[in-house]
Amino acid sequence: MEMMILSILGPQLHCEWSLPGYQVALITSVVFIGMGFSSPVWGNVSDKYGRKIGLTICMCWTLYYGLLSAFSPLYGWLLGLRGLVGFGIGGAPQSVTLYSEFLPVKARGICITLIGAFWSLGAVFEVLLALWVMPTLGWRWLLGLSAAPVAVFVCFCYWLPESPRFDVQSGHKEKAIATLARIAEDNGKTLPQGTLVDYKQNDRGHIKDLFTPQYWRTTLLLWFIWFANAFSYYGIVLLTTELFQAGDLCGVTQGAKSEPQCRSECKYLTSDDYKDLLWTTLAEFPGLLVILLAVDYLGRKKSMAICFFMFSLFVLPLFACIGRVTLTIFIFISRAFISGGYQVVFIYTPEVFPTEIRALAMGTSSAVARIGALITPFVAQVMLRTSVPFTLSVYCSCSLLAGIASLILPIETCGRGLQESSVIQETGGQTATSRQPNGTTPSMVQ
């Protein structure tokens, strides 16, 4: 919801505050600047102090500044407060880190994809909320009400369990056993016979660990894939409102769109614009369905590549002078594939890195993604006014390169267990036991 609001807030303030195009783009970009700076920070906090602590702090932060931003008196205040909201949102990917560490191999792909459905639900709910709130109450109420789901999390986060994998690595064996016992009880099972052996690992969560001989290539390719995903996903989201708002779509497609010279030339989003935005947002659900069918059958790498290639294919028709209905259809399909690809990279990243650097890997990858998201408003909202063909070419090229990068990733994680460290790997529901030279790796001996 906090991300989808960006495509709605920009056009509204463009007219209400008579903002030029670059200032509209900054409203979006400043959120991603905050996310880019904070994602590695939250990843480091989650690796050192716990997934639960990291998530709780970042969501409290998001709630506080999200509510404050609704009272922004001036453009500068709004810019600063939305940047601080972005700083909090940067920790949200750690929820996937925590969730993945509770999931068995056979269910991980499907479950992480299904939790992604709540991202899509949030986007849809934001459009519906805007359709109801914007015509009567205005954007301030929209900002305030959009923070409500974060408030729900903050109220219930006390009952969020900590990852037993983290507890083992941080030397809290009793907490890990208690969590596992609760899981067994809730599922009507008994714990496996054996002894939980823990070796406290204090030295963890360093960026240099992402660039060991085993992981440097994976890290660099994944960073580019995350960049391309965010650049393309938020690009198509912002392009949707820009193209719908233009009115004369043929003129826009031929590069004839120009910056309004006065406030009277501004065009607020209409109810029809919101309805079409809703239709394109609903595209994320077919994208999830495609990934549910593909991720465990084709594998993670091929699924990501297909999503990128299909996104490029369905962006191509936007080069032509097409009507609003046709435009909506092609945006719908392209958004379905790029949102599906985003879900796959959320599955792949925590699977490919071990527990000792998993949160950091998610945090740094998310930070690189925010660079793509930071750049995309200036492409989708500023460059678009100069040349639509060049703008679309940028998105197509970036997506094609990301598809190739997906195929050349060195590790396929489908059916592969989570690693606890760089020298321990789960196999077949059991953990192969191996102690590092410094004796810091945990294992479940069965």
Side-chain angles (χ1 to χ4, degrees):
M1 288 180 67
E2 291 286 357
M3 301 312 300
M4 189 65 199
I5 201 174
L6 298 174
S7 62
I8 298 166
L9 190 62
Q12 180 72 20
L13 294 181
H14 177 51
C15 294
E16 190 170 315
W17 285 358
S18 303
L19 300 178
Y22 78 92
Q23 287 189 335
V24 175
L26 271 175
I27 294 174
T28 301
S29 293
V30 74
V31 176
F32 295 120
I33 291 173
M35 294 173 73
F37 278 112
S38 70
S39 292
V41 174
W42 296 123
N44 202 23
V45 168
S46 297
D47 271 337
K48 288 188 175 181
Y49 303 105
R51 282 55 162 139
K52 177 179 178 178
I53 290 177
L55 269 177
T56 301
I57 295 173
C58 76
M59 288 299 104
C60 289
W61 180 291
T62 302
L63 174 63
Y64 178 71
Y65 287 106
L67 290 174
L68 274 185
S69 64
F71 299 95
S72 303
L74 300 168
Y75 173 77
W77 275 95
L78 180 68
L79 213 59
L81 290 171
R82 293 311 291 177
L84 290 170
V85 170
F87 192 92
I89 297 174
Q94 298 309 326
S95 60
V96 180
T97 303
L98 174 62
Y99 190 47
S100 67
E101 291 179 345
F102 279 96
L103 297 171
V105 174
K106 63 181 180 180
R108 192 179 303 123
I110 292 175
C111 288
I112 294 179
T113 302
L114 288 176
I115 203 175
F118 289 90
W119 171 282
S120 304
L121 283 171
V124 169
F125 188 72
E126 184 65 37
V127 177
L128 291 172
L129 186 64
L131 184 60
W132 171 56
V133 170
M134 291 296 283
T136 53
L137 300 175
W139 62 269
R140 295 182 187 277
W141 276 93
L142 184 65
L143 284 179
L145 292 173
S146 296
V150 184
V152 173
F153 174 83
V154 170
C155 290
F156 290 94
C157 65
Y158 174 80
W159 291 276
L160 184 71
E162 181 57 272
S163 165
R165 292 177 183 269
F166 171 82
D167 281 334
V168 167
Q169 282 220 333
S170 56
H172 301 136
K173 184 174 71 172
E174 295 77 13
K175 291 182 179 179
I177 292 174
T179 303
L180 293 171
R182 178 183 166 191
I183 292 172
E185 181 183 355
D186 288 346
N187 287 277
K189 305 289 184 180
T190 56
L191 283 176
Q193 295 296 315
T195 304
L196 183 66
V197 181
D198 68 311
Y199 297 95
K200 186 174 181 180
Q201 186 172 5
N202 294 317
D203 189 29
R204 58 184 185 272
H206 297 292
I207 289 183
K208 65 180 176 64
D209 296 331
L210 298 174
F211 293 95
T212 60
Q214 185 178 357
Y215 291 114
W216 71 267
R217 187 180 173 193
T218 300
T219 297
L220 293 177
L221 287 171
L222 266 181
W223 280 3
F224 177 70
I225 291 168
W226 275 81
F227 172 92
N229 252 317
F231 181 76
S232 302
Y233 175 82
Y234 292 111
I236 200 67
V237 169
L238 295 172
L239 278 173
T240 302
T241 51
E242 289 293 316
L243 294 176
F244 286 163
Q245 191 186 26
D248 182 8
L249 294 179
C250 290
V252 175
T253 310
Q254 294 165 4
K257 187 176 181 181
S258 60
E259 184 79 39
Q261 298 300 312
C262 64
R263 179 177 177 137
S264 61
E265 295 180 44
C266 274
K267 294 181 180 178
Y268 288 90
L269 292 175
T270 65
S271 59
D272 286 338
D273 293 331
Y274 284 120
K275 289 173 184 176
D276 286 337
L277 184 59
L278 177 62
W279 279 113
T280 56
T281 304
L282 288 169
E284 299 199 9
F285 292 100
L288 290 172
L289 181 61
V290 170
I291 293 308
L292 277 173
L293 297 173
V295 73
D296 285 327
Y297 296 96
L298 297 179
R300 290 19 170 178
K301 292 165 57 176
K302 289 181 181 178
S303 296
M304 277 191 285
I306 288 172
C307 287
F308 280 120
F309 292 146
M310 295 304 288
F311 172 80
S312 296
L313 179 64
F314 285 98
V315 165
L316 286 177
L318 302 184
F319 281 90
C321 179
I322 56 178
R324 187 182 181 105
V325 174
T326 310
L327 176 74
T328 303
I329 292 171
F330 282 113
I331 290 178
F332 182 98
I333 298 172
S334 58
R335 183 163 174 178
F337 279 106
I338 198 62
S339 63
Y342 223 152
Q343 295 308 318
V344 183
V345 78
F346 265 101
I347 298 170
Y348 182 88
T349 305
E351 286 183 334
V352 78
F353 291 102
T355 300
E356 61 194 8
I357 55 170
R358 186 171 295 123
L360 180 64
M362 285 292 290
T364 53
S365 297
S366 181
V368 174
R370 301 318 146 200
I371 298 174
L374 167 65
I375 296 170
T376 206
F378 294 95
V379 178
Q381 294 177 317
V382 179
M383 185 187 294
L384 184 74
R385 305 175 195 279
T386 304
S387 173
V388 171
F390 184 69
T391 300
L392 297 177
S393 297
V394 171
Y395 286 112
C396 282
S397 301
C398 184
S399 188
L400 285 172
L401 289 173
I404 296 170
S406 301
L407 292 175
I408 62 176
L409 281 165
I411 302 171
E412 172 57 70
T413 61
C414 184
R416 179 177 183 260
L418 293 185
Q419 291 179 294
E420 299 303 334
S421 77
S422 57
V423 295
I424 292 184
Q425 179 179 346
E426 283 184 340
T427 54
Q430 294 184 337
T431 304
T433 304
S434 174
R435 184 181 298 196
Q436 293 185 46
N438 62 358
T440 59
T441 57
S443 63
M444 173 74 84
V445 181
Q446 295 186 345

